[in-house]
Amino acid sequence: WKGIFGEGRYPSGYSIYGVDISHFQGEIDWDLLRNANIDGEPVRFIIIKATEGTDFLDENFNDNFYKAGDNNFIRGAYHFFLPSESAESQAHYFLKQVHLEPGDLPPVLDTEHKGDLTPREIKNAALTWLRLVEKHYSVKPIIYTNYDFKIKYLGDSIFDQYPYWIAHYYVNKLKYHGAWKLWQQTDVGKVGGIKG
């Protein structure tokens, strides 16, 4: 697919850039990242994988989360949702591991897979996680998912109250007509301080 799409171009007209990191990025050179830019604009925020399911803590989460803060990035944390596990237990696990502070981005629910759940079960599971985390932090969590998943499973108006982070790669302009706050527009971007 790199042969088709290239190494990741950035759409024009945007000046606030951020990166999504996890253990897959390995050890980060924070001095380089702090001074990195994307199309001449600084990296302003970092969203960090924290948890997955009910018992997986990203091995680099704590280091990445605190170093992002130490290097004056706006930071956030996300939970990768597993449809095969209890939404309530997943929310409690996220809250046990992640301690957001004033100035951090709202917590993020990353939901991309339906597993064996029906559309109604997916909706109810997402709402369970969102409501429990919102009650704890007193802020609406962000929903991260791709265009198709949002349309098929999270299109009900009840989800419109949550900020939407859309994953839609290899396009210069979004065709999604709903409201969104963040756009993850590539998975092949490069930035100083992060290998790969």
Side-chain angles (χ1 to χ4, degrees):
W1 51 263
K2 280 190 182 179
I4 296 171
F5 298 110
E7 286 294 327
R9 293 185 325 235
Y10 304 104
S12 62
Y14 298 93
S15 60
I16 300 174
Y17 289 99
V19 294
D20 166 2
I21 62 173
S22 71
H23 68 279
F24 290 114
Q25 280 65 56
E27 189 171 333
I28 292 172
D29 184 327
W30 290 94
D31 289 329
L32 285 178
L33 184 58
R34 185 173 59 245
N35 295 300
N37 69 72
I38 298 172
D39 279 357
E41 298 290 343
V43 175
R44 297 184 188 211
F45 66 91
I46 299 175
I47 302 181
I48 305 155
K49 180 174 184 180
T51 55
E52 180 174 324
T54 58
D55 61 1
F56 178 84
L57 175 68
D58 187 281
E59 64 193 61
N60 291 6
F61 171 68
N62 285 308
D63 190 52
N64 284 339
F65 189 72
Y66 290 104
K67 285 186 178 174
D70 290 344
N71 283 278
N72 297 314
F73 287 104
I74 297 169
R75 65 188 181 179
Y78 70 91
H79 174 79
F80 188 85
F81 190 83
L82 296 180
S84 59
E85 298 183 11
S86 157
E88 184 176 353
S89 297
Q90 290 186 69
H92 290 308
Y93 185 67
F94 176 81
L95 294 172
K96 178 181 175 186
Q97 300 296 337
V98 177
H99 307 288
L100 298 174
E101 299 174 359
D104 290 339
L105 292 168
V108 179
L109 174 64
D110 176 345
T111 179
E112 309 174 50
H113 305 286
K114 72 176 226 56
D116 294 329
L117 300 183
T118 66
R120 178 177 291 281
E121 289 170 333
I122 293 168
K123 173 182 147 180
N124 289 339
L127 286 172
T128 296
W129 193 97
L130 292 164
R131 288 171 174 158
L132 286 168
V133 173
E134 178 181 356
K135 182 177 179 184
H136 179 83
Y137 281 117
S138 299
V139 66
K140 296 275 185 207
I142 296 168
I143 298 172
Y144 169 89
T145 195
N146 62 62
Y147 175 89
D148 290 336
F149 198 91
K150 168 75 168 149
I151 298 300
K152 288 180 185 174
Y153 304 110
L154 305 175
D156 291 10
S157 61
I158 194 164
F159 292 103
D160 292 344
Q161 64 185 300
Y162 298 98
Y164 178 34
W165 174 13
I166 184 171
H168 198 182
Y169 302 155
Y170 319 125
V171 294
N172 289 320
K173 184 177 179 184
L174 280 175
K175 294 180 181 171
Y176 176 71
H177 295 294
W180 57 273
K181 298 291 185 189
L182 298 164
W183 171 17
Q184 187 174 57
Q185 58 83 38
T186 187
D187 61 350
V188 293
K190 299 254 184 216
V191 66
I194 300 177
K195 296 175 185 169

